[in-house]
Amino acid sequence: MVAPLRFALTILLFLAFPADAAQRTIYLTFDDGPLDGTSNILDVLEAKQVPATLFMVGMHAQASSANKALVKRAKGLPLVTIGNHSYSHAYNHYRHFYSDTEGVVADMLMANAVLGLKPVVHARLPGRDVFRLPSMSKNDNSLGQAQIGREDPDYEFVAASGFYLYGWDHEWVHEDSGKPVQSVDHLVTEIDHLFGYGHFVKPGKLILLMHDEMFRDVFDGKTNLTNLINALKQRNYTFGALPGYDG
Ligand SMILES: [Zn+2]
């Protein structure tokens, strides 16, 4: 076969079978709900039929009857996994919260009860990018030297209390107001680059961290999330359900 023809065939094959589409999986995760923004997320997930995990806060679930209804609605969606993101969200005092392993476990178990979750429960600890899964373990590399030991609970004990703990690979960052920082286009470019470099906790798998409050109407929540999912689908990314992540 002459070289130019072979080259053309290679290009054609590449276009027909994108190199490693099956190995490029994105896990959408949303933290801190139920909050304003959660119903927009559920609307979009339902319309686009993609799996996602909502790491919910027990205290937020109890805050109103509307929030209780959101938990119930999310639980009724087959593609949605409800995860545990603690009862209190550490009241945002991480140092105090994480100095007491048994207190952390008690708080997590209380969220199980409120959210109606039974072990093994998929969970994300508030403010901690920590993994404890059957096949792997990763600590939070963002903690400073002074924090290590002092506000580092015994994660093995937490996991052994009935939790698979998940951190994240990349974040759609938001301002204090909840306003998303990256545009959808910018975020998709970042994701493309990350798959180019491949520095993930698990090869070919990207856990994307987002927060429910980013998807309020005031930030064009439904449009942003729909556009993100459409753009990722166009690039042949696969969407994964977190319960299959460690498989
Ligand atoms: Zn959180």
Side-chain angles (χ1 to χ4, degrees):
M1 199 185 292
V2 291
L5 182 58
R6 197 162 54 209
F7 179 70
L9 271 175
T10 306
I11 294 289
L12 273 175
L13 281 171
F14 178 77
L15 289 173
F17 305 100
D20 48 359
Q23 294 161 336
R24 302 193 315 162
T25 307
I26 295 176
Y27 298 82
L28 304 176
T29 68
F30 301 89
D31 283 14
D32 297 354
L35 289 173
D36 291 344
T38 307
S39 68
N40 279 343
I41 294 168
L42 297 178
D43 286 350
V44 174
L45 294 175
E46 223 179 345
K48 306 307 293 183
Q49 286 293 300
V50 293
T53 302
L54 276 67
F55 287 109
M56 290 186 162
V57 174
M59 207 167 63
H60 295 170
Q62 283 182 327
S64 67
S65 54
N67 284 6
K68 278 186 194 130
L70 283 169
V71 177
K72 196 174 169 204
R73 183 183 165 203
K75 288 176 106 169
L77 298 176
L79 291 174
V80 170
T81 301
I82 304 294
N84 181 326
H85 193 44
S86 81
Y87 178 78
S88 66
H89 207 279
Y91 299 106
N92 291 321
H93 294 298
Y94 296 131
R95 182 193 288 194
H96 178 73
F97 185 72
Y98 286 119
S99 64
D100 171 16
T101 296
E102 286 176 16
V104 171
V105 169
D107 192 274
M108 297 294 287
L109 293 178
M110 183 146 53
N112 276 356
V114 169
L115 297 167
L117 303 176
K118 295 198 171 60
V120 177
V121 170
H122 304 279
R124 175 176 284 151
L125 292 169
R128 285 291 182 275
D129 182 10
V130 161
F131 285 80
R132 287 295 182 280
L133 299 172
S135 79
M136 52 88 61
S137 163
K138 178 185 166 282
N139 285 334
D140 192 329
N141 300 325
S142 72
L143 287 189
Q145 205 57 43
Q147 295 169 294
I148 293 170
R150 200 171 57 190
E151 47 186 291
D152 238 0
D154 181 348
Y155 295 117
E156 273 66 33
F157 184 83
V158 177
S161 305
F163 299 100
Y164 289 162
L165 303 179
Y166 299 85
W168 59 89
D169 293 290
H170 193 56
E171 180 173 0
W172 192 356
V173 186
H174 63 86
E175 296 172 0
D176 286 344
S177 66
K179 186 181 192 296
V181 171
Q182 303 105 309
S183 67
V184 169
D185 283 350
H186 189 134
L187 177 66
V188 170
T189 304
E190 288 176 345
I191 289 172
D192 286 342
H193 280 135
L194 287 166
F195 274 100
Y197 299 128
H199 285 301
F200 298 130
V201 174
K202 275 185 174 281
K205 298 182 171 187
L206 182 149
I207 298 180
L208 183 64
L209 164 64
M210 297 166 279
H211 288 85
D212 290 36
E213 60 185 322
M214 300 164 59
F215 300 100
R216 286 183 283 156
D217 288 329
V218 67
F219 303 131
D220 222 357
K222 257 196 221 190
T223 307
N224 277 338
L225 187 55
T226 303
N227 289 347
L228 174 67
I229 290 170
N230 287 344
L232 296 175
K233 279 186 169 177
Q234 269 168 15
R235 286 166 154 74
N236 287 313
Y237 288 109
T238 301
F239 295 91
L242 219 43
Y245 174 81
D246 198 37

